[in-house]
Amino acid sequence: MSDETQDGSHETRAELKKSDAVELEVVEVREGAFGVHGTGDTSGFGGLRRPVVMPGAATPPYGGWFDEVAERLTAGEGLADAIEKVVVHRGEITFFIRREVLRQAAQHLRDDAGLRFELLSGVSGVHYPGDTGRELHAVYHLLSMTHNRRIRLEVTCPEEDPQVPSVMGVYPTADWHERETWDMFGIRFEGHTHLTRILMPDDWPGHPQRKDYPLGGIDVEFKGGFIPAPDNRRSYS
């Protein structure tokens, strides 16, 4: 990736200080080749155990313009404690934001002259069943065309209360992205003017990209053989 993707008045990508975070956050431990428990695994990898780890929180200074963005973000009105943690990984920065102030943080990131993150290029969802109390994550990808910078915001919520404020009023591009995240992951964006399914039929049960969603499928019968639906072949619990 070219150094020229940075604001010329700041450090180049090569000069950014690497994060000194050494701790990894374990969000889940997967067993077997398919996450199977018990005798349902026929792959021969039933004894395999693999932790699912995420990069740990970084400590300031983060390096280059990352510090300026962090400082200006928390300088916004009511945003002094908006950041739960900061992750710097592979030359990219992610701000974990308290969901209660997400809309205010997005407004400040867009309007502050030193930030000017004018474009929301996407909203995506993630489901970590083992991340107790914060199983659902909504991730926002922001671009500053003024300063040629990219950051991520990440907000978490529990499965029991999958509510996150909508940022559609700040970034109109969030409209269909939030609808897709609701459709696939079941995160309800409060304040969205038309939060309906966008990929699945309106009466579709559940949210297909959650990790606990059943595989489904149909039985297939042909001459001399019968293949059951995937969710009946073995246990994927």
Side-chain angles (χ1 to χ4, degrees):
M1 188 175 294
S2 172
D3 283 350
E4 296 178 356
T5 59
Q6 303 263 350
D7 181 347
S9 64
H10 294 277
E11 292 85 343
T12 65
R13 188 175 299 276
E15 293 170 334
L16 285 174
K17 178 183 176 181
K18 293 184 178 180
S19 169
D20 58 357
V22 294
E23 294 185 1
L24 296 177
E25 182 180 349
V26 179
V27 297
E28 187 179 357
V29 177
R30 293 179 180 170
E31 300 180 1
F34 301 97
V36 178
H37 302 281
T39 58
D41 189 350
T42 60
S43 68
F45 293 93
L48 183 65
R49 288 177 58 85
R50 183 174 65 86
V52 179
V53 297
M54 303 297 291
T59 56
Y62 307 119
W65 56 265
F66 291 171
D67 294 287
E68 180 188 352
V69 172
E71 291 169 6
R72 296 191 75 101
L73 174 56
T74 54
E77 183 178 355
L79 300 176
D81 60 347
I83 300 176
E84 292 182 343
K85 70 175 179 179
V86 176
V87 173
V88 179
H89 185 60
R90 297 183 183 274
E92 301 177 350
I93 189 165
T94 302
F95 296 96
F96 281 75
I97 303 293
R98 292 192 298 110
R99 59 173 171 167
E100 296 83 3
V101 297
L102 172 63
R103 190 179 290 112
Q104 298 95 300
Q107 183 92 44
H108 183 64
L109 285 163
R110 186 194 69 179
D111 295 345
D112 184 272
L115 296 171
R116 286 285 189 261
F117 286 92
E118 305 100 335
L119 176 65
L120 172 70
S121 60
V123 181
S124 52
V126 194
H127 183 207
Y128 297 110
D131 196 6
T132 306
R134 29 190 297 134
E135 294 89 355
L136 294 168
H137 294 218
V139 185
Y140 303 78
H141 306 270
L142 301 181
L143 167 66
S144 170
M145 293 177 283
T146 299
H147 302 292
N148 206 9
R149 300 167 174 173
R150 291 182 184 270
I151 65 171
R152 270 190 299 271
L153 305 182
E154 191 158 341
V155 180
T156 67
C157 59
E159 290 177 329
E160 293 76 14
D161 181 29
Q163 308 280 341
V164 170
S166 172
V167 297
M168 194 177 77
V170 180
Y171 296 109
T173 54
D175 184 359
W176 286 12
H177 293 293
E178 289 182 347
R179 287 179 59 193
E180 182 177 356
T181 305
W182 148 249
D183 194 358
M184 295 290 102
F185 293 92
I187 300 176
R188 180 169 292 278
F189 295 90
E190 297 176 288
H192 193 288
T193 57
H194 189 60
L195 192 63
T196 57
R197 291 191 183 272
I198 194 170
L199 297 175
M200 310 304 291
D202 289 339
D203 59 350
W204 191 268
H207 304 281
Q209 287 193 346
R210 285 199 182 187
K211 298 289 177 57
D212 54 1
Y213 189 80
L215 290 178
I218 59 175
D219 298 332
V220 178
E221 187 172 0
F222 56 94
K223 184 176 181 180
F226 176 82
I227 300 177
D231 58 347
N232 292 322
R233 295 178 199 171
R234 59 167 69 97
S235 172
Y236 285 83
S237 59

